[in-house]
């Protein structure tokens, strides 16, 4: 498995980090190689799952049956690398800056650019992502310590089954944020208003409720997992659920974004100011 | 301190337990001597605080400054025992079935009927109560184990100061319900829609967040305090905050309802069916 993706924030050349078009261009040209959280914070970001056209309707049905984890923001035409409704100049094969390539259900490569392996029958789905609601939460005064510490939220594979559709099935993945009680309540109320970005939390307070034995053992080993004494773990349904499902489906071919390298769209978030 | 109030559910004679007028009549005539939770469940219940008219405006200001704990549902004319906006035949001096009488800030008596000590200068406040939102939560499928077990919710005096007004001040009192995580989230979302019944929780998960060292030591020693392994404590602001404040104010005279003996009103709750 060749890995050419940088995972730490790394702005090589200056660009307007709040302009989604400038962010996409910087990623495309290799001037930004880090995560996309903290960038274009007033705009929606999304998960990418590109599947062969023969499986696209089943995958859409799977997303709709598990819409809290997989809210569909856009679906491309077969083979199309553009999705103008989400960004006029969007190139789905280049603009996340991080791709996971799967063959026969196995993760075979990680790349910064997917043009070399893109196929004419790929249908791309862009799915709502917690990076969007994190910006909304911050705008409502919720402290997100993992962002203060330059980290991402941790993810966990839970003991909850998703609703299967066609070959797609698997356990629900959640993202976790360490919040103080008042912020947990505020975050619950605010996020519930945004079903397109996973909506309200699905659990909180007790990792065992989701079959999580040890918070330190996050999915992929990423993210902030250590709670302060005055914090609760709060769990939201996560778009990474889609990666579990495409692995489970053993598709002959599939591309997803690589963790925390998201599709940055031109869709504006309903926020005015940010810290 | 003479106590003539029964605290266990005790229906002596049959009456329509869902009809608020029938409930009030049964209490007034001594046919029901128990708590009012579980009665007239489609109708609003309230806390009672009756203060001398000289202190009424200060008490109203205190309630408005701490409206999550003390949402005003009604204020009587001085000396009036009726409050027609809340119940056509309501007699505030008889219809809760349980009164605490304070002189110079000290609790001097508990009585089933307050007519003997009622004063011509008393202004009564009826304040939103969690019994109302408990019915709403149940209608939304939230399991309230303390009700299943025939108990009331536990209350705690917290480490949080209320906003003072005139002579009124003191710590915030909360009520606690033991909820499973998904119910804690649902209860948060539902209760937030009803600011007149305390609105959203103010804390959850960590008793220490409110300075509560031991859940077993509830205010007054009442209520369900033991959590199951799959439950979280969820805390709402509580109308008992008003009792702390009137004690703190050292009023020459004051009457409040006695715990869980509430003012049963004719105001209809926005619920269709109940378990």
């Amino acid at each position: 498995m060749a890995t050419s993706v940088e995972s730490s924030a790394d702005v090589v050349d200056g660009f307007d980090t709040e302009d989604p078009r400038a962010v996409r261009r910087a990623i495309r040209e290799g001037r930004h190689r880090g995560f996309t959280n903290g960038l274009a914070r007033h705009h929606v970001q999304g998960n990418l799952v590109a599947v062969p056209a023969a499986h696209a309707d089943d995958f859409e049905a799977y997303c709709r049956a598990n819409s809290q984890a997989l809210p569909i923001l856009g679906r491309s035409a077969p083979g199309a690398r553009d999705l103008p409704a989400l960004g006029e100049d969007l190139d789905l094969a280049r603009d996340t800056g991080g791709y996971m390539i799967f063959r026969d259900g196995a993760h075979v490569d990680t790349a910064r650019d997917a043009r070399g392996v893109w196929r004419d029958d790929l249908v791309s789905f862009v799915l709502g992502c917690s990076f969007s609601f994190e910006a909304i939460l911050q705008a409502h005064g919720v402290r997100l310590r993992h962002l203060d510490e330059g980290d991402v939220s941790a993810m966990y594979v839970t003991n909850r089954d998703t609703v299967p559709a066609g070959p797609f099935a698997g356990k629900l993945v959640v993202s976790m944020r360490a919040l103080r009680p008042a912020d947990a309540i505020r975050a619950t109320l605010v996020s519930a208003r945004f079903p397109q970005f996973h909506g309200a939390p699905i659990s909180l307070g007790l990792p065992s409720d989701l079959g999580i034995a040890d918070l330190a053992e996050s999915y992929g080993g990423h993210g902030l997992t250590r709670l302060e004494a005055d914090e609760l773990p709060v769990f939201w349904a996560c778009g990474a659920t889609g990666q579990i499902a495409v692995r489970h489906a053993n598709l002959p071919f599939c591309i997803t974004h690589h963790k925390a390298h998201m599709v940055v769209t031109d869709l504006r978030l309903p926020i005015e100011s940010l810290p």
Side-chain angles (χ1 to χ4, degrees), chain A residues 10-17 22 26-27 29-33:
Chain A
D10 179 16
V11 178
V12 175
D13 198 6
F15 60 95
D16 181 352
T17 58
I27 292 170
E29 295 170 0
R31 288 179 287 117
H32 177 76
R33 302 188 176 198

Side-chain angles (χ1 to χ4, degrees), chain A residues 163-174:
Chain A
V163 179
F168 300 102
K171 298 297 184 187
L172 177 72
V173 180
V174 294

